[in-house]
Amino acid sequence: MGCAAPPVVHVGGVIQRAQALGWTVCLGLTPTAARWLEGDIDRLAEMTGFPVRSAYKMPGEPDVWPPADVGVVAPATFNTLNQWALGITEKFVVGFAAEGIGKGIPLIAMPCVNAAYVRHSQFHRSVAALRDMGVRVPYGDGGFVPNEPGEGRPEAYPWELVLDAAQAARGGVR
């Protein structure tokens, strides 16, 4: 599940790395992330073999994805982390992740926020709440470390930590 943070533009390469590890990958995006990747959606769907989703399916429609062994939300924005922690599921990505908690699916959320957002007290409450619900949140030492506003480096986002956490959650070590 990808959110509208600059590293999402590199999700195609991450999909390829996950597939090289033997994963079947499905891609969900927030509506804004889907808009950012609009020109790549067909290519990403072809890569995964599944439709890229950014909206809930209609009632009665079959699910087009196989059941998940692990769920990853990365890059996870301030907005998505807070909505997820608070159970506000208007977006498909947040609904998938929130339901995943109840289904017992191992979940990883790698933040991608700048230091100004981290200074907002809700960020720490949301990270703590998600961790209390069993979500692995690689943040801080050994995880995502925020930059000051305007100093982001999308190419330096630690996707390898996301893949390592997913592999560990699946029961394997990379």
Side-chain angles (χ1 to χ4, degrees):
M1 303 290 139
C3 304
V8 80
V9 301
H10 300 293
V11 75
V14 178
I15 289 169
Q16 289 174 325
R17 289 192 299 240
Q19 289 171 327
L21 293 170
W23 289 81
T24 298
V25 180
C26 297
L27 178 61
L29 298 168
T30 61
T32 302
R35 195 174 81 237
W36 288 6
L37 295 172
E38 191 171 55
D40 293 323
I41 296 292
D42 290 341
R43 179 182 62 83
L44 293 167
E46 187 175 314
M47 284 175 67
T48 65
F50 298 97
V52 174
R53 294 183 61 191
S54 60
Y56 286 104
K57 65 183 183 65
M58 296 298 291
E61 285 183 347
D63 199 340
V64 294
W65 288 356
D69 293 329
V70 174
V72 172
V73 181
T77 61
F78 179 76
N79 189 41
T80 295
L81 286 168
N82 290 330
Q83 286 181 336
W84 185 8
L86 295 170
I88 301 168
T89 60
E90 68 183 273
K91 292 186 290 195
F92 166 71
V93 163
V94 178
F96 175 90
E99 189 176 44
I101 291 169
K103 288 181 172 180
I105 298 169
L107 298 163
I108 295 95
M110 174 80 84
C112 186
V113 297
N114 68 42
Y117 285 119
V118 170
R119 292 181 194 112
H120 191 290
S121 61
Q122 186 58 48
F123 176 78
H124 294 284
R125 285 194 295 269
S126 293
V127 168
L130 291 170
R131 285 177 172 162
D132 286 347
M133 289 181 249
V135 178
R136 296 172 192 211
V137 185
Y139 167 73
D141 291 338
F144 176 79
V145 177
N147 299 303
E148 288 300 319
E151 295 178 6
R153 299 179 319 276
E155 70 286 350
Y157 185 72
W159 286 109
E160 292 303 316
L161 295 177
V162 174
L163 294 172
D164 288 346
Q167 193 72 2
R170 188 179 181 193
V173 179
R174 221 172 64 137

